[in-house]
Amino acid sequence: MPFGFTHSPLVALANSAICSFFRQIEVYGAENVPTEGPIIFACTHANMAVDPALLSNTVPHGHLMHYWVKDSLFKNPAVGWMLRNAGNIAVDRTTRNNQMLFRGTFEALALGECIGVFPEGTSHTEPHLIPLKDGTSWAALEYVRYLRGTEENKGAKKGRKAVIVPVGIAYVDKTKYRSRVVVHYRKPITMEQFESEFLSDEPGADKTAVKNLTKAITLEFRKMTVNCPDWDTAFAAQMARELLWERESNLSLADYVQVSQTLVDLFCTPNSKIENLKTLLATYQRLLTSSRLSNAALVGLKLPRQLNPDSVTSLPSRFSTLWLLIKDSIACLIRLPFFIVPMLLHIPIYIVGILGARLVEDELETQAQMKIVFGLLLSFLTYPVLFFSLWAVFRNWTLGTMMAAGAVWLLGRYHSALIDENYDAMKRLVAAWRLVVGVWLPRDFEMPLPSFVAQYSLFAPDPPKIAGLPPTTPPEKYQKPKRLSSRVLVKHILRVRAQAARELAELLLELENGEEVVAQTWLAEEFGGKVLQQSQQDGVEEQLTGWVKQGGTRSGREVIQYLKSKGARLGFIAGEVDGVNASGLDTEME
């Protein structure tokens, strides 16, 4: 099944889009991908069209990717032609004959080509993987039958058996402009261990083989993604990570999944102190979300040097927040002359992207796609206008065309080179202004913290549960958050931040004594922990929701050493906490 002339331009356009949206895209496991097909790339799916864009542009060895598309989209002649020309394969979901269902897939695989599929079946925003569909497994194993020969396909076919390469895409913040993403490719899953059972004449053997293959894919997916039982745990792990790694770039993307899952597992450990800290960190995250601030924006305000649990948490002084505002203002003013031209050119693109995301504010998994699409559409207008304007200035047809094209290209590259530091500086300036207003205003302007906690779902609601629900469970409705002025929460944010940092450091010091924490089975195996036996009830829950409980334990001391080795800032400037000496820890939490 050859690719048409539209495939390469579309992939190049997608590459330009994702490189403009994300500041850092890293790929690991490229050595696991075979140099030749046929290959089925089974990929996680949390970010709509951004996922296939990343898959097509990060796949090693120059592999080109066919994607499954439901056949109803091919009914429109123009759309159908474009989809086929780009290499997409129509899938008729109404047929019950698998050989007919996957005919286009088999034809592509027989040519040694590659198929990109998303076994979760839908893009979603859940704190964990949702149950995988069996379509990928059926396609891979039915292709074995196809090669051997079936009545529908008129005899045996030449070709190699396909392998499945699991692909995990982990986003640090999938909706955020200039965030980071890591793509992992795992070792291929071959069909030899499943095909004998699949081709067996025993009743139900084929379905059992398919289920076992799906389980193997699921296990690989878990090793490449961060999975939490609920949003409280997800938010607590996120805030703990941001406190331990002061700047996002301090944590390598190579370690992002393992570190994040380690923190998630920590907050799943049954312990009253851990539960209290989880609640505190989740509250901190919701305070930040409601006030449109981030922990990274508060880095300039150092945590109190005295973080002893017996001391009262103090707020930064008014003059320290004022100094932060002055410092960030000067930093922005110094950068502004060098960035003013590309900034003015791209401001309409930024605004249109934001407006596009607001059209789907109830779907977090669609917001990045809308930002990219709307930004691209305006770019198609902005850059040609700039080109023809410069061309008119240069006048000369040949030389003017070259100079105008070169100037537009250089301006785009210049914008890409400077956007990150200027964007971060502007966010810090906005945050500094909000901090000054919040800290300098009288106490009467504060919203009582208990009132916020009781009503947080109005201002920072959790993403609704829509995908991966049991058949009898209706999806939740999206609740639009009410806008809350940041000034009424700033003092609470600063207090809770200091308290959370103190209690987190105290907990980690206690774990140094060797207390065990629960862990995902794959992490327990990798780091020498204990593997527990999964109960039958846990298996049922996994099939219904996709969440699987931690199946092992790790030593607290080993966890602390692991976090330290990855650059976590563990410890206190205050030398002791509850009589436990912190001098053995390498770094300090200010």
Side-chain angles (χ1 to χ4, degrees):
M1 180 176 291
F3 291 89
F5 69 89
T6 61
H7 182 268
S8 294
L10 286 174
V11 172
L13 180 63
N15 182 64
S16 175
I18 60 176
C19 289
S20 297
F21 189 81
F22 297 105
R23 74 172 61 193
Q24 191 175 3
I25 302 172
E26 292 188 4
V27 179
Y28 296 94
E31 68 279 2
N32 294 326
V33 179
T35 56
E36 296 181 350
I39 307 170
I40 298 175
F41 289 92
C43 185
T44 57
H45 200 19
N47 211 357
M48 292 297 281
V50 179
D51 293 331
L54 281 165
L55 180 57
S56 291
N57 282 284
T58 62
V59 64
H61 311 307
H63 290 307
L64 303 181
M65 205 76 65
H66 297 279
Y67 291 100
W68 286 349
V69 178
K70 57 183 179 181
D71 64 333
S72 60
L73 295 178
F74 288 79
K75 291 181 179 179
N76 182 293
V79 175
W81 174 86
M82 185 179 68
L83 290 172
R84 289 189 184 90
N85 194 266
N88 295 291
I89 298 173
V91 177
D92 179 9
R93 299 179 181 179
T94 61
T95 181
R96 294 182 176 275
N97 186 318
N98 284 337
Q99 288 292 314
M100 299 299 292
L101 172 65
F102 299 120
R103 174 176 290 180
T105 301
F106 296 161
E107 291 173 354
L109 293 174
L111 295 173
E113 295 181 353
C114 301
I115 310 293
V117 297
F118 301 94
E120 289 173 282
T122 183
S123 187
H124 65 90
T125 299
E126 297 293 332
H128 51 73
L129 291 171
I130 62 175
L132 270 57
K133 309 293 185 183
D134 292 326
T136 304
S137 301
W138 278 111
L141 289 170
E142 285 285 2
Y143 181 61
V144 175
R145 196 195 305 274
Y146 170 86
L147 292 176
R148 293 196 172 199
T150 63
E151 182 179 345
E152 297 90 343
N153 295 300
K154 301 177 182 179
K157 306 292 182 181
K158 293 183 179 180
R160 295 189 300 272
K161 298 172 187 175
V163 297
I164 296 177
V165 174
V167 186
I169 303 177
Y171 300 91
V172 176
D173 188 337
K174 66 182 181 182
T175 66
K176 181 181 173 184
Y177 177 59
R178 305 307 293 169
S179 60
R180 304 193 300 162
V181 58
V182 57
V183 184
H184 289 277
Y185 290 86
R186 299 288 293 181
K187 291 183 178 179
I189 301 174
T190 61
M191 297 303 105
E192 279 72 13
Q193 54 186 314
F194 305 101
E195 65 178 83
S196 59
E197 184 177 23
F198 180 77
L199 298 172
S200 169
D201 293 331
E202 295 183 16
D206 55 348
K207 293 182 179 179
T208 301
V210 165
K211 291 294 183 184
N212 289 335
L213 178 52
T214 301
K215 286 181 181 178
I217 299 171
T218 302
L219 178 59
E220 296 302 320
F221 274 14
R222 288 203 197 103
K223 295 177 181 179
M224 300 181 288
T225 53
V226 183
N227 293 278
C228 317
D230 50 53
W231 286 112
D232 274 13
T233 306
F235 294 153
Q238 175 193 347
M239 290 297 100
R241 188 184 70 244
E242 292 184 11
L243 287 170
L244 294 172
W245 283 267
E246 195 172 56
R247 299 188 185 279
E248 187 179 288
S249 58
N250 291 344
L251 176 59
S252 168
L253 280 176
D255 304 316
Y256 170 75
V257 170
Q258 280 196 352
V259 165
S260 298
Q261 191 62 57
T262 295
L263 293 171
V264 167
D265 293 344
L266 170 63
F267 288 110
C268 290
T269 302
N271 178 300
S272 59
K273 179 172 285 190
I274 291 176
E275 282 294 326
N276 292 336
L277 177 57
K278 179 169 74 173
T279 301
L280 184 64
L281 287 167
T283 299
Y284 178 44
Q285 192 276 343
R286 291 177 173 121
L287 284 167
L288 289 172
T289 300
S290 301
S291 59
R292 299 172 299 285
L293 289 169
S294 67
N295 184 73
L298 305 180
V299 168
L301 284 176
K302 297 300 182 183
L303 290 164
R305 295 183 65 84
Q306 177 58 265
L307 286 174
N308 191 290
D310 297 326
S311 65
V312 178
T313 302
S314 59
L315 288 173
S317 68
R318 290 182 174 182
F319 289 101
S320 67
T321 59
L322 183 60
W323 168 243
L324 182 66
L325 176 62
I326 294 172
K327 185 173 65 173
D328 287 337
S329 298
I330 293 173
C332 283
L333 288 173
I334 291 174
R335 290 185 174 92
L336 187 60
F338 302 98
F339 191 61
I340 186 68
V341 173
M343 183 184 73
L344 292 175
L345 178 67
H346 288 85
I347 277 179
I349 299 175
Y350 304 152
I351 294 174
V352 166
I354 293 171
L355 294 176
R358 288 181 180 176
L359 296 176
V360 290
E361 62 181 352
D362 58 330
E363 300 176 10
L364 290 178
E365 64 274 13
T366 312
Q367 290 184 13
Q369 170 185 289
M370 296 299 283
K371 288 179 181 179
I372 291 172
V373 169
F374 275 65
L376 273 178
L377 290 175
L378 191 57
S379 297
F380 291 152
L381 175 64
T382 303
Y383 279 92
V385 168
L386 178 62
F387 168 78
F388 284 111
S389 299
L390 292 174
W391 178 70
V393 171
F394 295 135
R395 294 180 180 275
N396 184 285
W397 176 261
T398 304
L399 183 61
T401 301
M402 294 176 60
M403 292 178 65
V408 171
W409 181 82
L410 285 174
L411 187 61
R413 298 290 294 177
Y414 185 67
H415 171 265
S416 298
L418 296 184
I419 179 61
D420 288 336
E421 62 180 26
N422 283 277
Y423 183 50
D424 291 343
M426 186 59 67
K427 288 192 294 184
R428 287 195 299 269
L429 177 60
V430 172
W433 172 252
R434 289 174 176 164
L435 289 172
V436 167
V437 173
V439 170
W440 281 70
L441 283 176
R443 190 181 184 90
D444 294 342
F445 284 85
E446 288 185 35
M447 179 182 187
L449 185 58
S451 298
F452 173 82
V453 172
Q455 305 175 67
Y456 79 82
S457 60
L458 298 177
F459 311 113
D462 296 341
K465 294 181 179 179
I466 297 175
L469 295 172
T472 57
T473 304
E476 295 179 354
K477 293 184 178 180
Y478 169 73
Q479 179 181 343
K480 186 174 182 177
K482 291 185 177 180
R483 195 170 182 85
L484 193 62
S485 175
S486 59
R487 65 176 180 270
V488 304
L489 297 177
V490 163
K491 292 179 181 178
H492 296 314
I493 289 172
L494 297 175
R495 292 191 189 100
V496 172
R497 173 177 177 249
Q499 183 182 355
R502 179 181 64 202
E503 294 189 14
L504 175 62
E506 180 186 358
L507 172 66
L508 296 178
L509 282 172
E510 290 183 3
L511 289 179
E512 276 271 292
N513 295 327
E515 181 181 346
E516 288 189 337
V517 297
V518 299
Q520 289 287 332
T521 303
W522 62 275
L523 280 176
E525 291 174 343
E526 183 165 344
F527 291 99
K530 300 176 183 177
V531 177
L532 308 176
Q533 186 174 2
Q534 186 184 38
S535 69
Q536 186 175 1
Q537 181 60 37
D538 291 342
V540 172
E541 182 180 357
E542 178 185 358
Q543 292 177 8
L544 290 176
T545 67
W547 163 248
V548 57
K549 290 183 179 179
Q550 287 77 6
T553 61
R554 294 168 66 183
S555 161
R557 181 178 295 276
E558 178 271 313
V559 168
I560 297 303
Q561 293 301 319
Y562 169 74
L563 295 177
K564 286 169 57 180
S565 71
K566 301 305 178 183
R569 303 181 311 128
L570 303 175
F572 289 105
I573 286 181
E576 296 185 354
V577 177
D578 277 351
V580 180
N581 192 291
S583 60
L585 298 177
D586 295 337
T587 55
E588 298 173 336
M589 181 177 288
E590 296 180 306

